[in-house]
Amino acid sequence: MNYLTIAWRNMTERPLASTLTGLSMALGVAAVIVVLVIHRVAVDQFEQDAQGYHFIVGGTGGRTELVLSTVYHLGKPLYPISYNYYRKFTDGEYAPLTDAAVPYCLGDSLVVGEYKYRVVSTTPDLFDKLKYDGLHNYEFAEGENFKRDHFFEAVIGSVVAKQGGLKLGDTFKPTHGLSGEGNKHDDFKVVGVLAPTGTANDRAVFANMEGFYLLEGHSLSSKAKTSDNTAAATTPEPGAPTIGYDNEGNEVEPLPEDRREVTSILVRAKNPMASRDMMVVINKSGTGAQAVAPAETVTQLLQNIIGPVRVVLLVLTALIVLVAAIGILVSIYNSMSERAHDIAVMRALGASRMAVQTIVLLEAILLAVLGGLAGIVLGHLMVGVANPYVERQTGVTLEMLAFDPVEIWVIPGLVLLAIVAGILPAFTAYRTDVAKALSGTR
């Protein structure tokens, strides 16, 4: 009979104590797994959403607020910039360096039951010219992209379709304002449902920007002066509809450009050098606009906020694992007096002190490893159980079988911890007096 078999039998002779000790270790490891997986998913989500274009142009203010409101549809958007500024990227001074420029107009929301979604008014170029993670084209699970001259058409994200029960041909009334408590606007018709992208766009509604401008409270006064009178403003925008249609096919005139504003612009430059040059010029121009590279802002956000939170959570879960290791120590050490006679018999039959010590250490390692393996399985099961709720509330999918590379160090770490925890009981077994134990005087 080898040492490992003897250690296993010693452990199974105390089923309740061994099970409870292993369970405490499993719960500690499960907590570590949950923290690692959720952190990995959060980081991937943030990084993936900020791909597909080089920078965002918006009003002056916080860079983080601009990225959060534009990329993740969170928080309040910054003060808008003029439509003429947007024209700089389509047929103005930045056009030769620009590959795609997609305007965003924010300020409306859609409330369906207990859920509230951000309404993003934009152009069809968002789905035709940009890739949602920098690699993949947008695809439609149903329907198609809205047409620019069909002013009151919209596309919805996959989560909106699933949670809100909206489908092709349905109409909805956006609510003025982000609180979801404002006045209801005119109807928009759903003409497309996006296939899941795993980004924040899954839980957003995308309406035709031309229709957005015609809604109550969305246009500038005819007497308002734009702050940016560029050459582009004096000519019609290339490709812009001069006449449009509502959902009944009636002709509708678009809002004049001098009464328009945009909240932000997603810009993909023709090359990284062009992107850098434009950002420098924009940020030094003092025109009330700023250019922000979302990837840099996201990296800073992860390093400054999410990273420290992860460290705190891992320290807390590591303490749980440490307490479980102390449980192993207490469990085995308390059993030493009961097993003194068995150890003495082993010694009398020829087992060395080192063999007895090794068996006790193996028992501690077995408890830690089995508890750790159960904890890894339990942790991923907990992620799978939590996924429907998290996906329903945030649109973020927690993959039950998603692994963090750090997990590979969990079992080796537990082995080292078990050896440390098993040293004291092993030393006690090492010093067992055979004569006293056999005579029953101990």
Side-chain angles (χ1 to χ4, degrees), residues 205-287:
V205 176
F206 300 91
N208 191 329
M209 189 173 68
E210 298 293 342
F212 171 89
Y213 285 128
L214 297 176
L215 300 178
E216 183 180 358
H218 288 177
S219 64
L220 294 173
S221 166
S222 58
K223 297 180 180 179
K225 298 291 186 181
T226 60
S227 59
D228 181 41
N229 295 315
T230 64
T234 62
T235 58
E237 180 184 355
T242 56
I243 195 72
Y245 304 92
D246 62 17
N247 290 328
E248 282 71 43
N250 301 314
E251 291 188 353
V252 182
E253 290 188 6
L255 186 75
E257 291 188 9
D258 60 354
R259 299 178 62 186
R260 300 181 176 199
E261 290 179 315
V262 299
T263 308
S264 55
I265 310 167
L266 311 182
V267 179
R268 188 181 68 213
K270 291 190 173 178
N271 54 64
M273 183 69 73
S275 170
R276 190 187 63 182
D277 292 344
M278 281 193 286
M279 290 184 65
V280 170
V281 173
I282 293 170
N283 288 327
K284 288 185 175 181
S285 63
T287 55

Side-chain angles (χ1 to χ4, degrees), residues 41-42 44-51 53 67-75 104 116-120 126-127 132-133 138 155-160 163 194-206 391 393-397:
V41 170
D44 289 347
Q45 178 83 37
F46 270 85
E47 293 179 343
Q48 177 177 282
D49 285 11
Q51 303 295 323
Y53 42 89
V67 173
L68 289 178
S69 62
T70 303
V71 181
Y72 305 105
H73 314 308
L74 299 172
Y104 270 12
K116 183 172 65 178
Y117 309 105
R118 187 68 59 88
V119 175
V120 179
L126 174 63
F127 307 116
Y132 61 80
D133 58 358
Y138 286 96
V155 166
I156 59 176
S158 59
V159 173
V160 178
Q163 290 180 344
L194 287 176
T197 64
T199 71
N201 287 348
D202 288 346
R203 54 180 187 277
V205 176
F206 300 91
E391 187 175 35
Q393 296 297 322
T394 66
V396 176
T397 300

Side-chain angles (χ1 to χ4, degrees), residues 24 78 98 107 166 208 221 246 268 271 311 317 319 396 426-427:
S24 64
L78 299 179
T98 303
L166 292 175
N208 191 329
S221 166
D246 62 17
R268 188 181 68 213
N271 54 64
V311 171
T317 53
L319 287 175
V396 176
F427 184 68

Side-chain angles (χ1 to χ4, degrees), residues 139-155:
E139 295 181 354
F140 289 86
E142 297 178 86
E144 59 186 6
N145 199 355
F146 60 80
K147 298 179 179 62
R148 192 165 181 181
D149 61 351
H150 286 60
F151 289 177
F152 295 95
E153 291 185 344
V155 166

Side-chain angles (χ1 to χ4, degrees), residues 50-360:
Q51 303 295 323
Y53 42 89
H54 289 101
F55 61 90
I56 302 170
V57 178
T60 52
R63 297 163 60 89
T64 302
E65 286 81 357
L66 178 58
V67 173
L68 289 178
S69 62
T70 303
V71 181
Y72 305 105
H73 314 308
L74 299 172
K76 293 183 178 179
L78 299 179
Y79 195 76
I81 55 180
S82 72
Y83 196 84
N84 290 341
Y85 203 98
Y86 158 65
R87 292 279 305 275
K88 290 184 177 183
F89 297 91
T90 59
D91 56 326
E93 63 182 286
Y94 301 131
L97 303 176
T98 303
D99 191 38
V102 178
Y104 270 12
C105 294
L106 307 177
D108 285 347
S109 56
L110 171 64
V111 178
V112 182
E114 60 181 309
Y115 301 108
K116 183 172 65 178
Y117 309 105
R118 187 68 59 88
V119 175
V120 179
S121 298
T122 182
T123 66
D125 288 349
L126 174 63
F127 307 116
D128 290 339
K129 295 184 178 180
L130 299 185
K131 299 178 186 294
Y132 61 80
D133 58 358
L135 298 174
H136 298 93
N137 294 320
Y138 286 96
E139 295 181 354
F140 289 86
E142 297 178 86
E144 59 186 6
N145 199 355
F146 60 80
K147 298 179 179 62
R148 192 165 181 181
D149 61 351
H150 286 60
F151 289 177
F152 295 95
E153 291 185 344
V155 166
I156 59 176
S158 59
V159 173
V160 178
K162 186 177 180 180
Q163 290 180 344
L166 292 175
K167 58 184 182 301
L168 287 184
D170 286 350
T171 58
F172 64 89
K173 293 180 181 294
T175 300
H176 190 70
L178 302 179
S179 65
E181 299 175 351
N183 296 326
K184 296 291 185 182
H185 286 307
D186 296 336
D187 283 332
F188 276 77
K189 182 180 179 181
V190 177
V191 298
V193 178
L194 287 176
T197 64
T199 71
N201 287 348
D202 288 346
R203 54 180 187 277
V205 176
F206 300 91
N208 191 329
M209 189 173 68
E210 298 293 342
F212 171 89
Y213 285 128
L214 297 176
L215 300 178
E216 183 180 358
H218 288 177
S219 64
L220 294 173
S221 166
S222 58
K223 297 180 180 179
K225 298 291 186 181
T226 60
S227 59
D228 181 41
N229 295 315
T230 64
T234 62
T235 58
E237 180 184 355
T242 56
I243 195 72
Y245 304 92
D246 62 17
N247 290 328
E248 282 71 43
N250 301 314
E251 291 188 353
V252 182
E253 290 188 6
L255 186 75
E257 291 188 9
D258 60 354
R259 299 178 62 186
R260 300 181 176 199
E261 290 179 315
V262 299
T263 308
S264 55
I265 310 167
L266 311 182
V267 179
R268 188 181 68 213
K270 291 190 173 178
N271 54 64
M273 183 69 73
S275 170
R276 190 187 63 182
D277 292 344
M278 281 193 286
M279 290 184 65
V280 170
V281 173
I282 293 170
N283 288 327
K284 288 185 175 181
S285 63
T287 55
Q290 63 173 332
V292 177
E296 295 177 4
T297 303
V298 168
T299 299
Q300 293 175 355
L301 186 67
L302 293 174
Q303 290 177 346
N304 296 334
I305 298 178
I306 295 182
V309 171
R310 182 202 189 206
V311 171
V312 170
L313 291 176
L314 283 177
V315 168
L316 292 176
T317 53
L319 287 175
I320 297 174
V321 174
L322 182 61
V323 170
I326 294 174
I328 292 176
L329 185 155
V330 173
S331 174
I332 299 177
Y333 185 80
N334 287 341
S335 70
M336 283 298 100
S337 59
E338 302 171 3
R339 295 154 62 181
H341 183 269
D342 297 338
I343 293 173
V345 170
M346 291 173 58
R347 291 284 312 284
L349 293 176
S352 66
R353 290 177 181 269
M354 186 58 66
V356 173
Q357 189 178 29
T358 301
I359 291 171
V360 174

